[in-house]
Structure formats: C-alpha cells, structure tokens
Amino acid sequence: QGLLLLAAFVALLALPLAVSIVQTHFLSPLFPALSQYISALYHIFPDFTSTAPPPFTERKICATIKILLSKGAYHPMTTAECIRQRVSCRRFQEKPIPREDIRRVVDLARFSPSWKNTQPVRYVVVDDPVLKERIARECIPGQGFNTKTINRAAALAVVTYIPGLSGQGDAPLTEVQAAGWEMFDAGIAAQTFCLAARELDIGTCILGIFDADAAGRLLELEGQRAACLIAMGYPEQWKNGPGARR
C-alpha cells in the first residue's frame, strides 16, 4: 500500500511535466490542423461546444477538445466509409433521435440530384409513437416484418414526390423516359437520406412494401405521393457492413 501511495505521489508530480511535453512536441505542431478541425465543428455543430466561436487560441482549443471528448466528439466519416458502413437496420435502441439531427439529415438529403433539377422529393418524418403505430397498423398490410421494424424505430421518414414534375420537358427522349422517373429521383433521395443519417450514427432501413394510398390519407399528403418509408433509429448493434457484394 505504501508503494502504491508513493507511485501515485510521483505520478502527480510528473503530470505537469508530461502535459508540457505532450503540448510542446505533439499539440503545438498540430495546432493549425486542430484549429481548422474545431472551427469546422463549431460551424457545422455549434451545440457540441460551449466555447466562444473561432478563431481559437491554443489554450481555448485544449479546453474545446476536452469538452468534445466528454460529450462524444463528432468525427466526420469519409465518403467511402459512409457508403461501406451503411447497412439496413431493423433493431433499434429505445432512444429518441434529436430533432436537430433529423433536420441535419433532411437538409443534406435536399442536395440529391433530380430530373432537370425539378426537386420533386419531400420528406415527412414521424416521431410521434401513436401516429407511427397507426402507420404500421394501417399502411403495412400483411407485412409483420415491416410492422415490427416501424414499431421498433425511433422515427419513420416518409419519402414523397410531387407527381408531374420529374420526367417532363421537351428533350427528344423525354416522353419515352418519363414513365417512372419520379421514382428514380425518389430512390436517389432515399439513399442520400440514409447516407446522411449514417454519418450521424443513425441507422436506417428503406421499406418499399406499404399502401401508399393509405399513407397519403393518414398523413394528409395533398399533392404528394409516398414513394417509400425509411425506419430510423440508433441500432442495437452496428454490423461491420452490408452483406457480400457482387
């Protein structure tokens, strides 16, 4: 016990020296990159830090890193990582998704490409448990698997499109290609939505078997038609990636 106390005392004496060495030889050379990284974090996710906005002093950046680590710092994924690690999740934690994170996902999904930039796709996100349960019960006929997925999810995104926008125009092949192109645009938007969610550690599962007419009536989708549903939530466990790809 005496040796342990002595070791603890020596460690306390050596701590300031260790911090100084780390700051001098590791932090200071990395300061420009760290400052740029934290500045980007502040502008993208200002709620992660309670410090003043950039520019950061070296002392302030140390304090900010400490705050970020204590709250679970945001570590941006590369595009390749995001694509490889997006998987269809059907089992979720009983944990709500913050509204601000849902807004971030929708905001990024808005940048999906569309026919002649007509932007026909809309997103209706349901996080009310009662309404979500009604969708699962009334709009998923005979699909117990999908019903369970919706009920387990923290939220349900309904990807819709405005009929008559996509596939229209006077290009030579427009009329031939027009049929079904709105679903093509909705599909691009749905995948963009899922990738944006994955970067925030939100799991998703695209569901295509549902009654679009019933969903339209229940959600009062005037002038819109539901293309697909996306279950959302924090997975019970992340898989390493999707199954084998050909």
Side-chain angles (χ1 to χ4, degrees), residues 35-95:
S35 180
Q36 184 178 11
Y37 174 63
I38 299 280
S39 297
L41 282 176
Y42 183 89
H43 288 299
I44 299 173
F45 296 106
D47 53 303
F48 268 111
T49 171
S50 59
T51 64
F56 288 95
T57 63
E58 191 164 339
R59 181 176 180 182
K60 190 185 294 182
I61 202 172
C62 293
T64 305
I65 290 173
K66 184 177 180 181
I67 293 171
L68 289 168
L69 291 175
S70 67
K71 294 186 177 182
Y74 168 75
H75 300 284
M77 303 173 73
T78 66
T79 303
E81 288 172 340
C82 196
I83 292 172
R84 291 193 186 102
Q85 295 178 26
R86 186 225 53 84
V87 294
S88 295
C89 305
R90 289 184 176 271
R91 293 182 176 276
F92 305 97
Q93 303 175 41
E94 293 183 3
K95 176 182 175 183

Side-chain angles (χ1 to χ4, degrees), residues 5-245:
L5 290 173
L6 179 60
F9 180 71
V10 172
L12 286 174
L13 291 177
L15 185 59
L17 177 61
V19 169
S20 176
I21 293 174
V22 169
Q23 184 167 349
T24 301
H25 295 282
F26 295 99
L27 180 58
S28 294
L30 293 174
F31 176 73
L34 286 171
S35 180
Q36 184 178 11
Y37 174 63
I38 299 280
S39 297
L41 282 176
Y42 183 89
H43 288 299
I44 299 173
F45 296 106
D47 53 303
F48 268 111
T49 171
S50 59
T51 64
F56 288 95
T57 63
E58 191 164 339
R59 181 176 180 182
K60 190 185 294 182
I61 202 172
C62 293
T64 305
I65 290 173
K66 184 177 180 181
I67 293 171
L68 289 168
L69 291 175
S70 67
K71 294 186 177 182
Y74 168 75
H75 300 284
M77 303 173 73
T78 66
T79 303
E81 288 172 340
C82 196
I83 292 172
R84 291 193 186 102
Q85 295 178 26
R86 186 225 53 84
V87 294
S88 295
C89 305
R90 289 184 176 271
R91 293 182 176 276
F92 305 97
Q93 303 175 41
E94 293 183 3
K95 176 182 175 183
I97 303 173
R99 287 281 180 91
E100 57 267 27
D101 285 351
I102 293 176
R103 292 190 186 97
R104 286 170 189 151
V105 172
V106 172
D107 184 63
L108 287 171
R110 290 187 306 112
F111 290 90
S112 301
S114 61
W115 177 283
K116 293 188 174 182
N117 197 32
T118 48
Q119 304 178 41
V121 178
R122 303 291 184 269
Y123 307 91
V124 179
V125 181
V126 178
D127 59 3
D128 176 65
V130 176
L131 181 55
K132 189 164 60 69
E133 191 275 331
R134 283 193 63 188
I135 295 174
R137 185 178 68 251
E138 300 176 21
C139 305
I140 315 292
Q143 290 292 321
F145 199 41
N146 284 354
T147 298
K148 289 180 181 178
T149 300
I150 292 174
N151 286 330
R152 289 172 180 149
L156 182 69
V158 183
V159 179
T160 74
Y161 61 86
I162 300 175
L165 283 184
S166 187
Q168 304 303 311
D170 54 4
L173 298 178
T174 294
E175 298 305 321
V176 176
Q177 296 174 331
W181 199 273
E182 50 202 5
M183 288 295 288
F184 187 88
D185 281 349
I188 298 173
Q191 178 67 351
T192 305
F193 186 98
C194 292
L195 291 175
R198 179 61 187 89
E199 191 188 29
L200 295 181
D201 281 333
I202 298 172
T204 55
C205 184
I206 299 175
L207 308 173
I209 302 178
F210 70 103
D211 188 331
D213 292 327
R217 290 190 298 270
L218 181 59
L219 298 174
E220 300 179 356
L221 301 176
E222 295 184 14
Q224 303 176 49
R225 183 167 180 80
C228 70
L229 310 177
I230 303 179
M232 306 173 63
Y234 297 104
E236 287 185 352
Q237 184 176 4
W238 280 109
K239 301 177 184 177
N240 291 330
R245 290 293 189 261

